[in-house]
Amino acid sequence: MRLTKTLLVVSAIAALSAVALTGCSSGSTAGASGGGSLTVAKPDGAAILSTQTNNPFISTGSGMSLGYDRMIYEPLAIVNPVGKNETTPWLASKVEWNADYTQLTVTPRSGVKWSDGKPFTADDIVFTYTMIKNTPALDLAGLKLADVKKDGGNVVLSFSESKFVKQGDVLQVTIVPEHQWKSISDPSKDPVKDAVGTGPYTIKSFSSQGVVLKARTDYWGGKVPVGQLKYLEYNDNTGLLRALQSKEADWAQIFITDYQKNYVDKDPKHNVFWGANVLSPDMVLVNTTKAPFNDVAFRKAVNMVVDRKAHAEKARSNAGPELTSVTGIPQPTGDQYIAPEYKDKTFSIDVDGAKKVLTDAGYTWKDGALIDPSGNPVSFTLQDPQGWNDYVTGIQLVATQVKSTLGADAKVATPDADTWFTNMATGNFDAALHWSGSGSNPWHIYDDVMNGAYLEQAADGKVSDNFGRYSNPEATALLKQYAQASDDATRTDALNKIQKIFVEDVPAIPIGTHPQLGEYNTRTFTGWPSEKDQYATADPTQPSAVQVIMNLKPAGK
């Protein structure tokens, strides 16, 4: 188990700067803010800035798309997906789970004020979680809250099922002020133009040209190191890359082909690119309900000829390490979770072995083309959205490899993103390169591709996960057992069995790591997260973005 049941504020010391921690005491440096400015940028297009939406529960709004909401609203705690997967208390000074993770007791941090000057209290926590409980459209993470109540100075959250695998989803809910939100009739749609939060910044200006935040002088966490944040939008990755190269933008999250040459080397003393290796592999999702991937023999054969080294080098530009474990678990982040029988089992290209698997299953070859047991040529199409260069390169590599080694007619299609998302949800695909869920343990990896519960929850023929429609009651039961277990031994046993099914039945084909990317420079501020200091990822849209800002220091100090 990586997340401890009791997390005191002292556990935050390694992640927070000494300056930030002083904000918890009466000797706080509140009343001051630092100087300087940082420009944060995204490549989503100008349309994001056409309407101001500061509602943190609207993921497509300007605040969440650009990430500036992370600097205005704050969570109870921040869970680190890298490093030691530690949890840093934030608006809570203490959080404690019961043995089976169905109940969370929260101690609100004292001395915190909303940006309009009103005090933050336990009532705000109760209000926020009750609002989510009563508004299904807000329960994006499926928290399944059963009860929310105050207990003395604490708040107790009760759930209808164990939240062990979703601790981050629970703890990283953004808390909103009751005194403002109680009058909002539909919190799932209201843009909340007047953003009132506990975070270190407030909105100074909003326009189609960008968003400017100014640092608070009364922030509970102490002196805010950066006086101003500017958020800009660019039309695509190319435009944003130029802005990073020209020093117009300071902090971003984009995929950069040959990042060393195209970004780092433009200012090698200051420019930093970091792909944080989280527990989230990229996989070739295969439609297990139709030929050829309804045959486990063919799935195994493809799994045996995929060139994962080429994927890391050519598709991902070495942004993250090569995926090596046959379990699909990224290393070294997930070393502790790999089942004993697979500790030393790594992927290798085995064309002869793959052909034997196919031959034993009744496949033949005619003029170099693979023929299935029914006498039909084997063909399939890999699809990913046009413009997603890393993913399109990835499926092109797979198609070429499978065609040249096994003789299957592997094609590539690049529909627009909306069509692709619909195809995945409805099962209108043969295979596609897709990311997997991530968390502080590998449960999300396997849940995404093996949990039959998603098939039972399908609406109008659409599923929200397990897009390959893999059906295995044993795997579904083991995933549920892991999620609801009350001890580590039970979880470990379930996870080991899940890995065995994954390796032997190949419900999806793991192909590469899926790091959380981040680009920044150290020209004006230092203290950023990095491979050597993994207190957070460097992605400015994540909950930890506020933690990163509060850890910065002026360069040279």
Side-chain angles (χ1 to χ4, degrees), residues 17-298:
S17 67
V19 170
L21 279 175
T22 61
C24 307
S25 68
S26 58
S28 169
T29 56
S33 63
S37 176
L38 284 175
T39 299
V40 190
K42 287 287 296 298
D44 302 326
I48 294 295
L49 291 169
S50 62
T51 303
Q52 183 177 3
T53 303
N54 307 320
N55 186 330
F57 298 105
I58 300 178
S59 60
T60 56
S62 58
M64 290 305 289
S65 293
L66 272 164
Y68 69 78
D69 270 0
R70 302 296 191 188
M71 303 299 172
I72 297 171
Y73 305 99
E74 297 180 302
L76 296 177
I78 298 171
V79 180
N80 187 5
V82 291
K84 297 179 180 179
N85 291 147
E86 69 276 13
T87 293
T88 301
W90 209 256
L91 284 182
S93 59
K94 177 183 176 183
V95 297
E96 185 175 4
W97 293 94
N98 66 351
D100 63 2
Y101 290 83
T102 59
Q103 191 174 87
L104 174 68
T105 301
V106 177
T107 302
R109 187 181 295 280
S110 61
V112 178
K113 288 185 178 181
W114 295 99
S115 54
D116 61 3
K118 291 184 170 56
F120 160 78
T121 70
D123 291 330
D124 295 306
I125 299 174
V126 171
F127 172 81
T128 300
Y129 283 92
T130 300
M131 181 178 67
I132 292 173
K133 176 179 178 291
N134 296 336
T135 313
L138 298 183
D139 194 7
L140 303 178
L143 299 186
K144 296 185 178 180
L145 273 159
D147 187 48
V148 184
K149 64 182 180 181
K150 286 199 295 185
D151 181 12
N154 294 331
V155 175
V156 178
L157 309 176
S158 299
F159 304 89
S160 59
E161 62 182 23
S162 172
K163 293 292 118 180
F164 177 80
V165 298
K166 291 190 174 183
Q167 293 174 66
D169 293 320
V170 174
L171 294 170
Q172 293 179 157
V173 165
T174 48
I175 307 301
V176 296
E178 179 184 17
H179 65 272
Q180 179 192 31
W181 282 62
K182 64 183 180 182
S183 61
I184 294 177
S185 59
D186 189 347
S188 69
K189 296 180 179 179
D190 196 296
V192 192
K193 292 293 180 65
D194 181 19
V196 176
T198 58
Y201 291 89
T202 58
I203 297 176
K204 179 179 180 181
S205 65
F206 182 100
S207 73
S208 60
Q209 303 304 307
V211 184
V212 179
L213 305 185
K214 63 178 179 180
R216 291 175 57 179
T217 57
D218 61 346
Y219 180 53
W220 65 265
K223 181 178 180 179
V224 184
V226 185
Q228 181 171 272
L229 297 178
K230 299 178 182 178
Y231 286 80
L232 303 179
E233 272 288 0
Y234 293 84
N235 288 331
D236 50 32
N237 280 9
T238 301
L240 178 46
L241 176 58
R242 291 197 188 102
L244 288 167
Q245 292 171 334
S246 66
K247 305 178 183 180
E248 184 178 272
D250 298 303
W251 192 10
Q253 177 264 102
I254 58 168
F255 173 76
I256 301 176
T257 301
D258 196 353
Y259 65 86
Q260 185 68 38
K261 174 184 176 182
N262 291 317
Y263 175 60
V264 176
D265 287 349
K266 299 300 181 181
D267 184 355
K269 184 178 178 180
H270 300 108
N271 286 355
V272 179
F273 172 96
W274 182 38
N277 189 22
V278 298
L279 287 173
S280 175
D282 278 335
M283 300 198 202
V284 175
L285 301 190
V286 295
N287 193 329
T288 62
T289 67
K290 56 186 289 192
F293 291 107
N294 60 346
D295 184 358
V296 65
F298 186 69

Side-chain angles (χ1 to χ4, degrees), residues 7-15 21 89 93:
L7 298 154
L8 301 176
V9 68
V10 293
S11 70
I13 292 176
L21 279 175
S93 59

Side-chain angles (χ1 to χ4, degrees), residues 310-326:
H311 180 83
E313 293 177 348
K314 299 178 181 179
R316 301 299 298 176
S317 292
N318 289 318
E322 179 183 345
L323 187 68
T324 56
S325 173
V326 296

